[in-house]
């Protein structure tokens, strides 16, 4: 237990100690909110869909959680490069504990980041339809964080050096984000795109978060929740499997 | 305490460790010497569960590190040749994390951390981030950390690399004391022959992945008719430098890495 805790704490320390990075990492969400939220707002409104800022804010929050998770997962690569990974791998604790500590740490960091972006959304003008729904929103942020922290761990364990990082960003994280309904409604999509969005687990996270925050669901609470829990279990298994197979 | 039979490890076409066998008794200090790229670190990685052998058998205190990984890990401590500190944490935090990973009880942990950091003259710098340390200070911290728990077997892979004479002395004095009072088995590698001569009970010389000689320092000197261990080492392994092959292998290794192998 102490092992899980100390590795969880390490991830948190790493995050809170890099204040500059925290500030700069808010730049991208702000850009999305301002450029898309206000830029595409009029078009969205004219199409009869209401406020675009209200629509994408949950998507942008989920995006920052997703990217934070992938970054943290990839930090296994840094630890491999700088050697610290070896130190944990020869310790007399199970790889499972190490993996869980790291993954929970990454998820906690990502949730904190999500909270910060939520505050940014509020500042820019986003309003949740009901403050009472915030706990529900937190549930979905946590689920998204755990899902993708586990997936990040899996990728961090498979990839052996830094060249692999852009690969994961461009071929996994970015497509997951763009094909998730973060930026567009899932109604009336072309067949192929509709299929892809239904496969993308992030779609369910975003739908859940958006449902909780704005009251507009595409699937439903139970549907989103069930899918995310199932997929999280799968990703956690995958992550711990690949982590247990790491050789130096 | 350590038994290795016909151990082999290949990387693609290249054989880094080629059918080696040796035994280390409990309480023995065993030095594993060899030129660069001989296969010392690869052997240690297999002994310490970081790498799976291609073929052969290993026994650590009766356990197979390839299968009974967690139990095997309870038996040993290791100081790596390459850096393995967390540079984003302080010296003290690095020690603390290690103590927790190795289940050193809280009170004992605090005592030992203080003693070791003082011994290796890092106590005044305990709250500084490791990334601000000099190369030698990092090395000292690695060693202090490796000595924090008291394992049955201690692996030291070129522990004195980059250390000043004072710290080297501290290290070997400490290791000898552990060996005498707690019967710790020590498996070490070094390129400083005088160190091996001074501390090791027995020595194996490995070259191109094969063990070419084993025995006490006196045995090795006698069989080669040389005065010093350095002389014996050179007589056994030749005068040529071993880096040409290693660099082409390194290049290949990079390509292989890029392909994700
Ligand atoms: N992961 C790897 N992939 C490919 N080749 C490797 C790998 N690890 C080691 N080698 C090769 O195996 C050989 C033995 O390496 P090893 O690190 O065991 O040498 P060493 O005896 O520790 O040398 P040194 O004294 O320089 O530390 C070298 O030629 C090295 O290039
Ligand atoms: Mg080596």
């Amino acid at each position: 237990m102490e092992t899980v805790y100390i590795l969880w704490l390490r991830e948190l320390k790493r995050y809170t100690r890099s204040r500059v990075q925290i500030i700069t990492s808010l730049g991208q969400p702000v850009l999305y909110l301002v450029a898309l939220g206000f830029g595409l707002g009029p078009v969205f409104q004219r199409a009869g869909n209401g406020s675009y800022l209200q629509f994408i804010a949950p998507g942008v929050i989920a995006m920052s959680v997703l990217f934070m998770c992938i970054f943290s997962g990839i930090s296994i690569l840094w630890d491999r490069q700088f050697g610290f990974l070896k130190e944990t791998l020869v310790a007399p604790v199970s790889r499972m504990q190490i993996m869980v500590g790291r993954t929970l740490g990454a998820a906690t960091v990502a949730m904190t980041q999500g909270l910060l972006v939520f505050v940014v959304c509020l500042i820019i003008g986003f309003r949740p339809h009901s403050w009472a729904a915030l706990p529900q929103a937190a549930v979905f942020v946590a689920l998204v964080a755990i899902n993708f922290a586990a997936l990040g761990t899996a990728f961090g364990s498979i990839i052996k050096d830094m060249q692999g990082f852009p690969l994961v960003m461009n071929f996994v994280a970015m497509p997951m984000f763009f094909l998730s309904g973060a930026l567009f409604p899932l109604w009336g999509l072309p067949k192929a795109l509709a299929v892809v969005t239904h496969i993308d687990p992030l779609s369910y996270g975003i739908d859940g978060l958006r449902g909780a925050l704005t009251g507009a669901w595409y699937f439903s609470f139970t549907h989103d929740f069930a899918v995310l829990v199932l997929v999280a279990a799968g990703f956690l298994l995958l992550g711990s499997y690949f982590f247990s197979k790491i050789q130096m | 305490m350590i038994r290795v039979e016909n151990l082999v490890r290949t990387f693609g076409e290249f054989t880094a460790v080629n059918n080696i066998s040796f035994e280390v008794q409990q309480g023995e200090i065993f030095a594993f010497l060899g030129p660069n790229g001989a296969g010392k670190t690869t052997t240690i990685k297999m002994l310490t569960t970081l790498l799976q052998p291609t073929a052969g058998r290993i026994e650590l205190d009766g356990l197979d590190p390839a299968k009974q990984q967690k139990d095997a890990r309870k038996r040993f401590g290791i100081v790596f040749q390459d850096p393995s500190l967390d540079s984003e944490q302080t010296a003290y935090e690095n020690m603390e994390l290690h103590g927790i990973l190795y289940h050193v009880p809280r009170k004992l942990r605090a005592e030992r951390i203080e003693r070791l950091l003082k011994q290796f003259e890092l106590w005044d710098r305990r709250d500084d981030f490791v990334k601000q340390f000099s190369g030698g200070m990092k090395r000292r911290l690695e060693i202090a950390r490796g000595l924090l728990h008291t394992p049955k077997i201690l692996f030291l892979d070129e522990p004195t690399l980059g250390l000043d004479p004072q710290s080297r002395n501290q290290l070997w004095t400490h290791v000898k004391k552990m060996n005498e009072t707690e019967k710790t088995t020590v498996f070490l590698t070094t390129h400083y022959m005088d160190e091996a001569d001074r501390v090791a009970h027995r020595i194996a010389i490995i070259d191109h992945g094969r063990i070419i000689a084993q025995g006490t320092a006196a045995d090795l000197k006698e069989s080669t008719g040389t005065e010093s261990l350095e002389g014996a080492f050179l007589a056994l392994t030749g005068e040529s430098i071993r880096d040409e092959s290693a660099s082409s292998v390194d290049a290949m290794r990079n390509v292989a890495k890029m392909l994700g192998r």
Side-chain angles (χ1 to χ4, degrees), chain A residues 205-219:
Chain A
I206 288 177
D207 187 58
L209 188 58
R210 182 176 290 139
L213 288 175
T214 69
W217 301 82
Y218 177 80
F219 304 107

Side-chain angles (χ1 to χ4, degrees), chain A residues 6 10 19 58 109 149 199-200 227 245:
Chain A
I6 194 81
R10 172 172 180 261
R19 302 245 163 73
V109 163
I199 295 173
D200 185 348
V227 170
K245 289 280 169 249

Side-chain angles (χ1 to χ4, degrees), chain A residues 1-7 9-11 13-14 17-18 79-95 97-98 158-161 163-164 167 244 246-248, chain B residues 9 11 45 48-52 69-70 73-76 78 80 82-90 93-94 96-98 100-104 106 109 129 145 254 257-258 260-261:
Chain A
M1 230 21 241
E2 231 186 339
T3 305
V4 173
Y5 167 74
I6 194 81
L7 291 169
L9 187 67
R10 172 172 180 261
E11 297 295 317
K13 277 185 194 159
R14 203 160 31 183
R17 280 173 185 173
S18 55
D79 285 344
R80 182 193 281 272
Q81 208 106 329
F82 293 113
F84 177 73
L85 189 62
K86 289 196 291 281
E87 155 78 358
T88 54
L89 294 187
V90 295
V93 292
S94 69
R95 294 251 172 128
Q97 283 174 303
I98 305 174
I158 304 172
I159 299 170
K160 301 253 161 17
D161 67 16
Q163 276 110 333
L167 233 61
S244 75
I246 295 182
Q247 292 195 39
M248 296 301 293
Chain B
R9 173 70 207 205
F11 295 106
K45 281 184 177 169
T48 56
T49 74
L50 283 176
L51 201 62
Q52 294 283 339
Q69 297 198 331
K70 197 174 151 192
R73 288 186 198 123
K74 286 188 186 142
R75 304 293 193 277
F76 65 79
I78 177 169
F80 295 102
D82 310 321
S84 66
L85 297 166
D86 184 1
S87 55
E88 300 291 330
Q89 296 206 69
T90 66
E93 286 171 333
N94 267 278
E96 176 86 1
L97 197 148
H98 183 92
I100 290 174
L101 288 181
Y102 284 83
H103 312 296
V104 182
R106 180 185 299 269
R109 192 161 74 215
F129 286 106
R145 190 184 65 177
N254 283 336
K257 264 189 193 166
M258 265 157 51
R261 304 290 316 176

Side-chain angles (χ1 to χ4, degrees), chain B residues 40-42 81 157-158 189 191:
Chain B
K40 303 181 294 295
T41 300
T42 307
Q81 175 180 357
D157 196 357
E158 297 192 32
T189 79
H191 288 300

